[in-house]
Amino acid sequence: MVTPVPCPPAARAVRVRHLGPNWYAAVMGTAAVAGTGTALPAHARPPHALLAAVWILSLLLLAALLAARALHWTHHRDQARAHLLDPATAPFYGCLSMALLAVGGASLTAGRGLLGTGTAVALDAVLFTAGTAVGLAAAVAVPYLMVVRHRIEPAQATPVWILPLVAPMVSAALGPALVPHLPPGQPRETLLLGCFALFGLSLLATLLMLPLILGRLLLAGPLPLALTPALFLVLGPLGQSTTATGAVADLAPGVVPEPYAHGLAVFAVLYGVPVMGFALLWLAFAAAQVVRARRRGMGFSLTWWAFTFPVGTCVTGAASLARHTGLTAYAVLAVALYVLLLAAWAAAASGTVRGLLSGRLPAAPPPAPAEPRPARVRTRSDAVR
């Protein structure tokens, strides 16, 4: 009888060699379905048991991915270092922060009925603290690497660059929910104003990055087909910043002195209304690009998860404006965007499951050359063809 030779740990971990940080987007999108559903008007809110089930799924996905990524760093450090030195992959390290924050935030809304208030608060506090620390580290480390180690051409600019910069904005939007669970006085005011500071940090950094992305689109043409869904990532800082200003304003009374509490409520509307308008403009622009790419043969890839979490931030942003303005239009918009989120999640989740079952995922991403820009020829009469 032949004694089977045990498989070495490295061989058992071979499937996770190409498991990059972009996989955390699946956790973010799933947690968004649970967390944003609780922000909808009561008459349009999905059953709480269903939202709780989706939150449990996101928690299990987070635990599985954290374990798989630990194997990745243990057995494939060369690949992990290559991810950090790759300007197309390094920004996805911001997704780890947002996955922790999204699951933690949803524990206070969708998961509280299962866990109880005390356990839900404790879980959210741990995940919020870890997610915020990781997000701040990514917001500094990734741009630093882009400056000193990466070799980037202007045509390589993509919305993926926003990911490490928007992570602190997620902390700003979800942190205020923990304020009532702190002792009154300085602890509450410190956390609330700290979240407002994270809002400013992320907003200003994003405003510096967005012109590079739009300039790349105008000057170099459309993104590669597989990257086209990443255009939806621009919605993230727009919807999340609207959510953050509303969340800070909701908790300000009794935490910060007047007239600042009232001023924050005014700011939430004066800021959120125009930003949500631009978010809808960008949503139409990005959707048109996706339709074009789909007609030209864009198939499923993990970038489809970009359709989920950013749209979820617009759901909570619209719901926040509905609370602060009392306008039914924003409530209807929140519901419509949530329906879009559900469709996007179903498409991304089904494609991911099929890829896992077929063995195609996880796999190294294929090279995606930029789509050539249509040539323009000037005739002798100076007419452009």
Side-chain angles (χ1 to χ4, degrees), residues 181-270:
H181 303 285
L182 292 176
Q186 292 259 340
R188 291 186 180 182
E189 186 174 359
T190 299
L191 177 58
L192 191 66
L193 293 184
C195 290
F196 198 48
L198 290 171
F199 158 82
L201 178 159
S202 179
L203 177 65
L204 295 177
T206 302
L207 290 177
L208 292 175
M209 191 66 73
L210 284 179
L212 299 177
I213 296 168
L214 182 59
R216 179 256 178 263
L217 293 173
L218 294 176
L219 299 177
L223 294 174
L225 297 182
L227 275 178
T228 303
L231 289 169
F232 274 66
L233 295 176
V234 176
L235 296 174
L238 303 176
Q240 200 69 280
S241 60
T242 303
T243 304
T245 55
V248 170
D250 288 339
L251 274 298
V255 175
V256 298
E258 295 292 352
Y260 304 114
H262 178 68
L264 287 170
V266 173
F267 178 73
V269 175
L270 294 182

Side-chain angles (χ1 to χ4, degrees), residues 39-113:
L40 296 175
H43 65 276
R45 200 171 296 163
H48 190 81
L50 180 60
L51 296 178
V54 177
W55 171 75
I56 291 174
L57 176 60
S58 71
L59 182 63
L60 294 175
L61 287 174
L62 176 62
L65 272 176
L66 288 174
R69 287 287 295 165
L71 281 175
H72 180 272
W73 273 93
T74 301
H75 299 292
H76 304 290
R77 293 181 184 176
D78 61 323
Q79 188 74 0
R81 286 192 295 268
H83 285 164
L84 282 172
L85 297 179
D86 181 1
T89 305
F92 284 102
Y93 274 89
C95 290
L96 168 58
S97 166
M98 291 184 279
L100 294 169
L101 292 166
V103 174
S107 70
L108 270 184
T109 53
R112 182 184 296 195

Side-chain angles (χ1 to χ4, degrees), residues 307-333:
F307 295 141
T308 57
F309 189 80
V311 173
T313 68
C314 293
V315 173
T316 53
S320 173
L321 289 175
R323 292 195 311 273
H324 287 92
T325 64
L327 291 177
T328 303
Y330 282 116
V332 172
L333 176 61

Side-chain angles (χ1 to χ4, degrees), residues 282-366:
W282 189 271
L283 175 61
F285 171 74
Q289 293 283 318
V290 169
V291 170
R292 172 187 177 277
R294 190 68 171 160
R295 288 176 176 174
R296 292 175 179 243
M298 182 189 76
F300 173 78
S301 67
L302 288 178
T303 54
W304 282 34
W305 284 103
F307 295 141
T308 57
F309 189 80
V311 173
T313 68
C314 293
V315 173
T316 53
S320 173
L321 289 175
R323 292 195 311 273
H324 287 92
T325 64
L327 291 177
T328 303
Y330 282 116
V332 172
L333 176 61
V335 174
L337 290 171
Y338 189 74
V339 172
L340 177 61
L341 170 62
L342 291 178
W345 182 86
S350 60
T352 303
V353 170
R354 287 195 302 269
L356 289 170
L357 293 177
S358 67
R360 187 170 57 88
L361 294 175

